[in-house]
Amino acid sequence: QVQLQQSGPGLVKASQTLSLTCAISGDSVSIQRGGWNWIRQSPSRGLEWLGRTYYNSKWYSDYAVSVKSRMTINTDTSKNQFSLQLDSLTPEDTAVYYCARGWLRGYFDLWGRGTLVTVSS
Amino acid sequence: QSALTQPPSASGSPGQSVTISCTGTSSDVGAYNYVSWYQQHPGKAPKLLIYDVSQRPSGVPDRFSGSKSGNTASLIISGLQAEDEAHYYCSSHAGSNYCLFGGGTKLTVL
């Protein structure tokens, strides 16, 4: 059974960096597919795709325009996990953050349980 | 790119059918047959219901179906049940921006 286990802080201060990790069991971060994704959800912005990483002979990352300048997704193949780093946080980044397995045609069939992240000013 | 447009709410009685629309543009919904739908109960992660406009993942009841015409996709739920009360979100592949979501529809089973 494939599972995604999220970890990371629930409270961070404005201007600091958010780091979240998603550990994969039952699948491999290196398998070519639609990638491993980060998605967030807030009352003001709804569901918002943030970015993905995928392997296709080499590693690639794509990011939403809204976060491209301050977001990085990394992979750790030895631990079979991927991580999100979001810099220069503001209260607007307060949301539930999900990791998810994606497919090339833009859908997500497996989601982590979500991490509520509150950015305090 | 703006989010896809969904009605904020929908309702129906048990046993009835309900349709939830999702309107995009010729750059997303209209451009690709890659619309997906998700069901989300309070405090839970979204669950994939439909992908590629009308395909159901294993385990999803055939009461859930999807369709698309032009820039508008639809989720149809037939034989409404109490446990169908949830939020429903559409999503579409959007080219270089990869994925756009709708604002969500809260379904109430009367």
Side-chain angles (χ1 to χ4, degrees):
Chain A
Q1 182 183 3
V2 185
Q3 289 185 322
L4 302 180
Q5 183 67 42
Q6 296 182 221
S7 59
L11 181 64
V12 289
K13 293 185 178 179
S15 79
Q16 292 188 341
T17 294
L18 171 66
S19 295
L20 296 174
T21 298
C22 184
I24 305 163
S25 58
D27 199 349
S28 170
V29 71
S30 302
I31 288 183
Q32 178 186 347
R33 202 184 279 115
W36 300 93
N37 299 256
W38 288 100
I39 297 164
R40 68 182 177 184
Q41 185 175 29
S42 66
S44 59
R45 301 171 75 102
L47 280 167
E48 180 183 17
W49 175 78
L50 298 177
R52 63 172 177 163
T53 186
Y54 60 97
Y55 184 78
N56 186 1
S57 301
K58 66 176 185 176
W59 287 101
Y60 294 86
S61 294
D62 296 327
Y63 302 100
V65 170
S66 60
V67 295
K68 189 172 186 176
S69 63
R70 58 189 184 100
M71 180 168 168
T72 304
I73 298 177
N74 293 307
T75 57
D76 185 336
T77 55
S78 67
K79 295 182 178 178
N80 202 31
Q81 63 186 32
F82 62 107
S83 61
L84 167 153
Q85 180 176 304
L86 188 62
D87 302 324
S88 304
L89 293 172
T90 72
E92 284 226 334
D93 293 312
T94 294
V96 177
Y97 286 74
Y98 294 99
C99 59
R101 184 175 70 179
W103 293 79
L104 288 173
R105 299 185 294 284
Y107 64 90
F108 311 98
D109 68 335
L110 182 68
W111 296 63
R113 297 182 70 173
T115 300
L116 174 59
V117 175
T118 301
V119 180
S120 64
S121 54
Chain B
Q1 283 175 287
S2 301
L4 308 176
T5 300
Q6 297 181 234
S9 63
S11 63
S13 299
Q16 288 186 333
S17 293
V18 64
T19 298
I20 299 172
S21 63
C22 170
T23 301
T25 71
S26 57
S27 298
D28 37 68
V29 175
Y32 308 95
N33 286 324
Y34 299 153
V35 175
S36 52
W37 289 91
Y38 301 85
Q39 177 191 61
Q40 187 178 33
H41 287 107
K44 301 292 187 181
K47 171 190 172 184
L48 180 66
L49 285 180
I50 298 286
Y51 66 96
D52 291 355
V53 175
S54 60
Q55 301 302 304
R56 279 187 311 276
S58 173
V60 173
D62 60 6
R63 303 186 294 105
F64 295 91
S65 61
S67 65
K68 192 191 88 165
S69 177
N71 296 338
T72 299
S74 298
L75 173 69
I76 306 100
I77 308 173
S78 59
L80 209 55
Q81 300 181 3
E83 59 262 35
D84 298 335
E85 185 160 297
H87 279 87
Y88 292 83
Y89 295 90
C90 64
S91 174
S92 174
H93 185 54
S96 59
N97 204 35
Y98 185 56
C99 169
L100 283 178
F101 286 98
T105 298
K106 178 176 171 54
L107 174 64
T108 301
V109 180
L110 302 170

